Amino acid sequence: VQLQASGGGLVQPGGSLRLSCAASGFTFGSYAMGWFRQEPGKEREWLAVVRRPGNTAYSNSVKGRFTISRDNVKNTVSLQMNSLKPEDTAVYYCAAARMSTIMGRLWIPDGYEYWGQGTQVTVSS
């Protein structure tokens, strides 16, 4: 199983980035896909999840700014991040959870079975 996240980098406040996560080694379409982030010394924070294409949920901290999407042909999940703020600076992780996982557990790291290695996003002028 492999989840390979990419697309992080340095961006100015107000800018945009698009993160991608390529999945392999499991039946992608049978898994809900989520994005988390983590700052040094803090707990991993849930950001967004997509079950079927178009069936999405977001944390209040990113709702209206971030958009999660999945491509079940390419086995990828993406996170489009707009209107970035300095407080969005963190390491971003993609993760996979069985589709049968109840929504309440999709908001916490323990609900996920597989994790990517993380990609650094820095928002700074």
Side-chain angles (χ1 to χ4, degrees):
V1 171
Q2 189 170 18
L3 292 173
Q4 184 71 39
S6 61
L10 174 65
V11 63
Q12 292 187 341
S16 298
L17 276 177
R18 185 176 180 87
L19 305 183
S20 293
C21 177
S24 61
F26 62 99
T27 306
F28 184 75
S30 297
Y31 281 74
M33 299 300 298
W35 284 96
F36 288 74
R37 67 187 178 192
Q38 189 169 22
E39 299 174 64
K42 295 188 177 181
E43 294 187 353
R44 197 162 290 191
E45 176 191 10
W46 171 74
L47 302 176
V49 64
V50 56
R51 289 178 182 263
R52 314 295 180 187
N55 183 350
T56 59
Y58 298 90
S59 72
N60 287 337
S61 63
V62 305
K63 191 178 297 182
R65 299 189 299 124
F66 291 10
T67 302
I68 190 171
S69 60
R70 66 185 297 160
D71 185 330
N72 286 350
V73 175
K74 296 181 179 179
N75 287 359
T76 58
V77 59
S78 298
L79 187 68
Q80 176 67 41
M81 306 186 295
N82 299 329
S83 302
L84 284 162
K85 308 173 183 179
E87 52 264 43
D88 293 320
T89 296
V91 178
Y92 284 67
Y93 298 89
C94 58
R98 293 184 183 271
M99 200 66 79
S100 57
T101 305
I102 62 173
M103 181 56 77
R105 285 190 60 78
L106 292 177
W107 302 336
I108 60 174
D110 282 352
Y112 290 79
E113 188 169 344
Y114 305 129
W115 288 87
Q117 86 287 2
T119 185
Q120 176 71 45
V121 172
T122 302
V123 185
S124 175
S125 55

